[in-house]
Amino acid sequence: MPSPGSAVGSLTPAWTELPVALHPTTLHTLSVLGFERCTPVQTATIPLFLEHKDVVAEAVTGSGKTLAFVIPILELLLRRGTTAEAAEAGAAARRLGGKQPTRHVGAMIITPTRELAKQIHAVFQPFLDTLRLPQFRDDPLVKPLSCQVFVGGEATMDHNLASIKAARRLDVVIGTPGRVQELLARTCPTQLVSLKHLEMLVLDEGDQLLDLGFDVSIRAILHWLPKQRRTGLFSATMTDGVQHLVKAGLRNPHRVQVTVERQHVDSATGHVVASSKVREQRIPTTLDARFLTCRLDEKLPALIQLLLDPDAASRDAPPDPLTLSAATRKTIVFMSTCAQVEHWGRVLRLLAQDPAGLTHADGSPRRLPPLPAGLWERLASFHVAALHGQLEPVKRTKIYASFIAHMTGPAVLLCTDVAARGLDLDDVDQVIQVDPPHDPAQFAHRCGRAARGGRTGSAVVMLTPEEAVYVPFMKNRGVPLRPFVTPAWDAWVATATATATATATASASADLPDPNHGAVVTAPQRPTAWRELIPADAAPWDAAAAAAAEEAVRDALPTDAVILAPDFAADPDPLATTADPAAAALTQSAPILGALRAVVSPWLYAATRTDRDLLDRSVRALVSWTRAYKEHQATFIFRLKNIHVGTLARGFGLIRLPKMPEWSDAALPATFFGRAQATLSSTGTGTDADADANADANAGADTDAQTHTDAVAPRRHGAKGTPRRCVHFVDTLRVPYVDPKREKQRLYNLARKAADAATAAAAAAAAGQPDAVPAAGTKRRRPDAAARLAQTAWSEQKAKKAVRAAKRTLREQREATRDRASMEALKEARATLAAHGGVDAPGAAARARAAAVAAAAQTMTDKERKRAAVLEAKEAVADWKELVASRKRSSGVVDDSQGKGCSFDGLD
Ligand SMILES: Nc1ncnc2c1ncn2[C@@H]1O[C@H](COP(=O)(O)OP(=O)(O)OP(=O)(O)O)[C@@H](O)[C@H]1O
């Protein structure tokens, strides 16, 4: 195995050449692992720790920082003799007394994620196993050390306590800040765990520990630790904030910063011609880091291309992608948000399915525009795993393990930054960043999942032309990026798509969607089946037929449900129109993804429109992407106002932007529908005004928001006699689920709503108020607050929260209304009493008052008011009883009816 030392071009010492001697068990394990020499960061830090110094170490990803603290910890624990052993003897004595012995922790490692904690535990394991080998048994320093992981989510605290009690010792604690803090709070006061003899504390990925807001937990942990200890802070990037941690936990720390030396080799002679020290380089030199300029809707095609052809950057001739070997490659793909990871994961899995086997919920074939022949078979060989922080911990562990264990073919892990730090998977060759990270410091960490331990690897980040300034920006931060130039796949895509189309046409005679337009849209449950108005032989964009259809559905479709089928071919090329000269220069190296985009975009659109689940997820993904985009720290590069909304929506398979404040002023560019407009004008069915308006719309494609709104919202602006520009409708409310169970439930809900509306209408008609309830079918759907909130929320968790909040508000509103009604009744009752002169009032009035007050008290939901109303009601009942009794006494007449009902339920 190549040494990470060689990766950075330094001649590093062998383990035995270190200024401090390592224990034979450590040397034995290192030789078994095949690690012959130290890496630079190990060379620098191991002696410092063993000389009782605190260390802040900053070294590029994959440079062996883990062993740089694991080895000193083991050495210190083996050397710590007398004090801890004496403590153990004391503990054993207490055990004899029936009390649990105290475990003396010797070292503690805090990491930001569970996966990283478990990985560090795995690094310890071979060293701990060696301590149990018979050949070292006679060594007086050797003892069976124990190391345990404590992370939130998977095991409960009780499980953790049980596992501590089950083990005889606890020498090393590895964990995430929250769980370790809780653990210490539970075990230190009871003396189950003692930190008195702690030798070393390590904060791995120290800068992130601070960034993620763990600093409170870390300070709480520091509170339990002895001052006399060694502390190490490790990361590939140190931020200013870490200075606070340094102050809090480290004493006169030594700063270790590993420099990267670059060697320039003459390609002709193969000799090193120059050598320059690049102190700030944050990525290993064995990493081929590149940027790929593409539009937002080219990211999916670009991802497909990168997955199928990971070596594209180093090839000159256009390949046949299906003959390329992605064999057992592993790729990690980073995205901004959890919703995006979920969405792209589903899309990739759908792309990898046999199109002939896709069906709707009722079992009928689900036709999608044909993709290049052989593509799905190729993608089907990929294992797709989607990992993000909102998954259940157990599921998250399972998914991660499945990615690690997959050895039988290529695998791709779609993830958020949850997998950006520290994870060491030696067979990851490629990292793709679909979105650049919010925090530029995270960039190097993401890239660093490839090219680890001296191996080679590649990293590609996708940037829009407007974001191209990111390249010099990252260069200044020690991450040089080269352009990604790839041979075009156009010829291959054209041929392979033609083959696929021919096959699909031969196997399915009817209804094959136009690959440019997704599909002709149907609204099967409309009272007027507008689709029937379009002659079967009409071209998809037949203006006259479409105009008739529009007329028919004009009032039937709710505004929210109207969207237009896009013209995928006519979108302007933002690469050609970019105003930024720096970006324009960079576009010259942009890959030509046009052909693949031209088939993938319509496919994605059709797939989204035929699966409600995918539609919901893509809306959520777009919303979350937008919100995340605003949060970029480099705001001067990532500006929402620079986003080309047409390509954004298309990138998510949508042709309409979700309602959200960020896009309230935006509308899809008119040219998104360019071909439809051109058809309308050229067929002569529109008026001259139509043609002019269309020409205007096209001319002002990217600037005139009002024109855009006209184009996308025809119902609002397309009253009779005015130009109409839309030809096809999609009723998003009608998009079905593919899952039969969910579809059945959806249809049932629709039917129930329709039945309720019909019953209400019939009841209103019978009561002689036919206008009170709108007739079924014409009732405009009031947007349901909960559903709306759920749709616009940018993560599933937030969606659930929004729904809960909306329901709570609704309940509170209902209660408030009821309380108001009760108060009204109460007031009326008081007025009645006042009008009739209090207890002297006639019996009927007293009874009415008591009844009203009691009723009000019973329905009241506000506790305070209810208590007051109940008191008042009891008083009223007492008055009434008193009145009845006095009447009986004075008249001598026993009138039973007067006394009846002198009590009301619910007043006790
Ligand atoms: N001395 C060594 N010789 C050879 N390989 C090594 C050596 N030390 C570590 N490695 C290997 O290098 C790889 C990267 O190590 P490690 O995970 O510790 O990197 P890191 O610097 O912590 O990276 P990151 O910053 O991403 O957390 C591992 O696969 C490890 O086994």
Side-chain angles (χ1 to χ4, degrees):
M1 176 189 286
S3 145
S6 67
V8 287
S10 311
L11 193 61
T12 52
W15 298 104
T16 47
E17 291 165 9
L18 284 174
V20 287
L22 300 184
H23 193 270
T25 52
T26 310
L27 293 173
H28 176 86
T29 317
L30 288 168
S31 80
V32 170
L33 292 174
F35 298 163
E36 290 163 12
R37 315 186 77 83
C38 318
T39 64
V41 66
Q42 292 160 0
T43 313
T45 51
I46 294 173
L48 285 172
F49 277 126
L50 295 182
E51 285 159 16
H52 301 269
K53 303 276 178 4
D54 284 359
V55 176
V56 175
E58 183 180 6
V60 291
T61 53
S63 58
K65 291 189 287 296
T66 313
L67 276 187
F69 59 77
V70 165
I71 292 177
I73 286 178
L74 287 162
E75 290 293 321
L76 288 169
L77 292 183
L78 289 174
R79 286 172 199 189
R80 82 166 172 169
T82 44
T83 40
E85 296 304 335
E88 269 171 39
R94 274 204 299 283
R95 187 171 45 217
L96 288 178
K99 204 179 155 211
Q100 272 288 343
T102 301
R103 275 76 176 165
H104 291 272
V105 176
M108 183 177 284
I109 302 164
I110 309 291
T111 71
T113 63
R114 299 173 195 136
E115 287 81 4
L116 191 48
K118 289 182 199 162
Q119 184 179 292
I120 294 172
H121 182 258
V123 173
F124 264 102
Q125 205 52 55
F127 293 92
L128 302 182
D129 292 345
T130 305
L131 296 175
R132 291 190 164 80
L133 291 178
Q135 68 254 43
F136 299 110
R137 209 168 277 158
D138 297 335
D139 188 328
L141 289 183
V142 172
K143 45 195 160 281
L145 298 178
S146 151
C147 166
Q148 289 198 30
V149 179
F150 301 98
V151 292
E154 286 166 30
T156 60
M157 179 53 75
D158 288 340
H159 276 108
N160 288 157
L161 293 177
S163 73
I164 294 176
K165 286 175 189 163
R168 217 170 58 79
R169 318 170 50 109
L170 178 59
D171 298 286
V172 183
V173 166
I174 308 173
T176 45
R179 178 53 65 98
V180 172
Q181 179 192 2
E182 206 182 332
L183 185 90
L184 298 188
R186 293 276 294 270
T187 55
C188 290
T190 60
Q191 292 287 305
L192 178 62
V193 164
S194 162
L195 299 160
K196 258 192 285 173
H197 301 291
L198 187 113
E199 298 276 351
M200 196 162 146
L201 167 73
V202 171
L203 301 176
D204 196 15
E205 306 297 346
D207 56 333
Q208 197 190 21
L209 283 173
L210 195 71
D211 279 357
L212 288 185
F214 288 135
D215 52 332
V216 175
S217 295
I218 289 175
R219 280 175 215 282
I221 292 169
L222 290 177
H223 166 76
W224 291 103
L225 305 184
K227 296 241 175 325
Q228 292 300 316
R229 59 160 201 272
R230 263 132 292 180
T231 308
L233 199 65
F234 285 79
S235 181
T237 49
M238 289 294 173
T239 58
D240 297 339
V242 170
Q243 298 309 322
H244 301 301
L245 269 187
V246 170
K247 279 185 204 139
L250 287 84
R251 282 172 301 133
N252 302 324
H254 284 249
R255 188 151 185 148
V256 173
Q257 205 171 7
V258 178
T259 59
V260 172
E261 192 174 273
R262 272 180 158 188
Q263 292 180 330
H264 299 280
V265 180
D266 185 333
S267 52
T269 62
H271 292 132
V272 175
V273 290
S275 171
S276 61
K277 287 217 163 185
V278 189
R279 291 187 62 85
E280 289 300 317
Q281 178 147 336
R282 305 284 171 124
I283 51 172
T285 47
T286 48
L287 181 75
D288 181 11
R290 293 176 186 261
F291 68 95
L292 182 153
T293 325
C294 65
R295 303 156 42 150
L296 290 170
D297 63 338
E298 284 175 335
K299 288 192 171 185
L300 179 60
L303 177 65
I304 296 172
Q305 181 162 349
L306 287 167
L307 288 178
L308 295 186
D309 185 11
D311 300 323
S314 54
R315 195 180 302 105
D316 296 332
D320 175 351
L322 302 188
T323 63
L324 295 169
S325 158
T328 52
R329 280 178 183 273
K330 282 192 178 161
T331 305
I332 300 187
V333 180
F334 287 100
M335 295 171 187
S336 299
T337 67
C338 307
Q340 265 178 285
V341 169
E342 282 286 326
H343 175 243
W344 283 63
R346 286 183 89 84
V347 169
L348 277 188
R349 284 191 203 103
L350 188 62
L351 271 168
Q353 278 185 37
D354 179 357
L358 296 178
T359 55
H360 289 286
D362 60 3
S364 61
R366 183 174 162 209
R367 295 192 201 292
L368 299 178
L371 289 168
L375 190 75
W376 75 263
E377 289 97 328
R378 193 85 183 90
L379 287 173
S381 66
F382 276 79
H383 170 77
V384 179
L387 187 85
H388 56 80
Q390 284 179 3
L391 289 171
E392 294 285 314
V394 177
K395 203 170 170 193
R396 187 166 133 181
T397 309
K398 234 179 177 174
I399 290 172
Y400 183 58
S402 78
F403 177 69
I404 295 176
H406 192 81
M407 294 294 173
T408 51
V412 51
L413 178 72
L414 306 175
C415 56
T416 54
D417 277 342
V418 73
R421 296 264 186 159
L423 299 187
D424 180 43
L425 307 174
D426 57 6
D427 47 359
V428 171
D429 321 82
Q430 188 177 215
V431 168
I432 301 169
Q433 302 189 51
V434 170
D435 305 303
H438 302 164
D439 177 2
Q442 202 76 332
F443 191 93
H445 290 277
R446 284 176 167 196
C447 293
R449 295 317 101 210
R452 300 182 66 74
R455 287 175 290 271
T456 54
S458 65
V460 183
V461 58
M462 298 183 194
L463 298 171
T464 64
E466 292 79 13
E467 295 164 354
V469 200
Y470 195 61
V471 176
F473 173 75
M474 286 313 293
K475 192 174 175 197
N476 285 341
R477 300 179 70 113
V479 184
L481 297 167
R482 293 191 291 156
F484 184 97
V485 190
T486 172
W489 281 17
D490 286 21
W492 170 77
V493 171
T495 327
T497 310
T499 316
T501 311
T503 319
T505 314
S507 65
S509 53
D511 238 15
L512 188 69
D514 177 342
N516 262 339
H517 303 97
V520 172
V521 177
T522 60
Q525 286 132 24
R526 291 267 162 248
T528 313
W530 68 273
R531 192 180 173 206
E532 288 164 14
L533 297 169
I534 302 180
D537 56 350
W541 296 94
D542 182 322
E550 184 194 340
E551 194 66 39
V553 295
R554 178 182 292 276
D555 296 319
L557 282 171
T559 311
D560 281 357
V562 179
I563 55 175
L564 291 157
D567 179 2
F568 290 105
D571 197 33
D573 187 350
L575 298 188
T577 57
T578 179
D580 182 348
L586 288 163
T587 58
Q588 297 185 358
S589 59
I592 307 161
L593 286 160
L596 197 55
R597 174 178 63 87
V599 294
V600 169
S601 287
W603 178 91
L604 183 61
Y605 162 63
T608 309
R609 202 187 40 69
T610 49
D611 180 2
R612 170 165 290 277
D613 189 47
L614 196 62
L615 176 70
D616 291 346
R617 282 172 194 275
S618 58
V619 169
R620 237 174 271 155
L622 190 148
V623 172
S624 69
W625 181 91
T626 306
R627 306 244 156 104
Y629 200 82
K630 285 198 315 186
E631 303 299 323
H632 269 289
Q633 288 181 10
T635 38
F636 64 100
I637 299 175
F638 302 98
R639 292 166 191 233
L640 216 49
K641 73 177 179 53
N642 284 348
I643 293 298
H644 187 278
V645 284
T647 56
L648 170 68
R650 190 180 309 175
F652 285 92
L654 298 171
I655 50 173
R656 184 171 168 280
L657 292 170
K659 277 185 193 159
M660 57 189 298
E662 287 81 356
W663 298 123
S664 59
D665 297 334
L668 297 181
T671 43
F672 198 55
F673 308 97
R675 189 166 147 194
Q677 292 164 13
T679 313
L680 275 171
S681 310
S682 63
T683 52
T685 52
T687 59
D688 284 350
D690 276 325
D692 289 347
N694 288 330
D696 288 346
N698 282 326
D702 278 317
T703 51
D704 186 347
Q706 187 54 49
T707 311
H708 302 165
T709 316
D710 281 351
V712 281
R715 289 185 65 256
R716 267 181 280 142
H717 302 274
K720 269 186 191 168
T722 59
R724 283 189 304 271
R725 303 206 187 105
C726 65
V727 286
H728 282 197
F729 295 98
V730 178
D731 182 350
T732 47
L733 295 176
R734 305 264 168 205
V735 174
Y737 283 109
V738 167
D739 177 6
K741 259 195 198 161
R742 297 183 74 182
E743 179 58 7
K744 201 171 158 192
Q745 181 68 46
R746 192 183 73 87
L747 292 177
Y748 170 77
N749 288 344
L750 281 179
R752 207 190 51 196
K753 268 187 202 158
D756 286 353
T759 314
Q769 299 170 315
D771 294 338
V773 179
T778 59
K779 182 183 165 194
R780 285 186 72 87
R781 194 173 181 279
R782 269 199 17 241
D784 171 19
R788 196 159 33 77
L789 283 169
Q791 208 183 17
T792 51
W794 58 297
S795 72
E796 240 170 72
Q797 206 181 14
K798 292 224 165 10
K800 281 185 192 156
K801 209 169 153 194
V803 170
R804 275 203 303 275
K807 281 185 180 163
R808 197 171 46 240
T809 315
L810 208 63
R811 199 174 54 238
E812 282 167 7
Q813 276 171 1
R814 275 200 212 119
E815 285 177 3
T817 315
R818 239 170 50 197
D819 282 2
R820 256 202 311 278
S822 304
M823 290 304 290
E824 287 302 316
L826 206 59
K827 258 194 222 157
E828 247 178 58
R830 286 186 191 132
T832 314
L833 188 69
H836 293 283
V839 288
D840 294 333
R847 185 190 163 126
R849 178 211 172 205
V853 175
Q858 280 158 19
T859 53
M860 198 78 82
T861 49
D862 183 283
K863 275 190 186 158
E864 277 302 306
R865 284 177 176 178
K866 185 173 176 110
R867 200 172 303 135
V870 166
L871 282 179
E872 191 174 339
K874 281 183 176 168
E875 212 176 280
V877 170
D879 290 349
W880 177 25
K881 279 183 180 168
E882 177 55 36
L883 182 69
V884 171
S886 69
R887 287 221 175 152
K888 277 182 197 167
R889 278 196 303 275
S890 60
S891 64
V893 178
V894 179
D895 180 356
D896 277 348
S897 70
Q898 289 262 341
K900 265 186 196 159
C902 275
S903 67
F904 295 95
D905 290 340
L907 292 186
D908 298 326

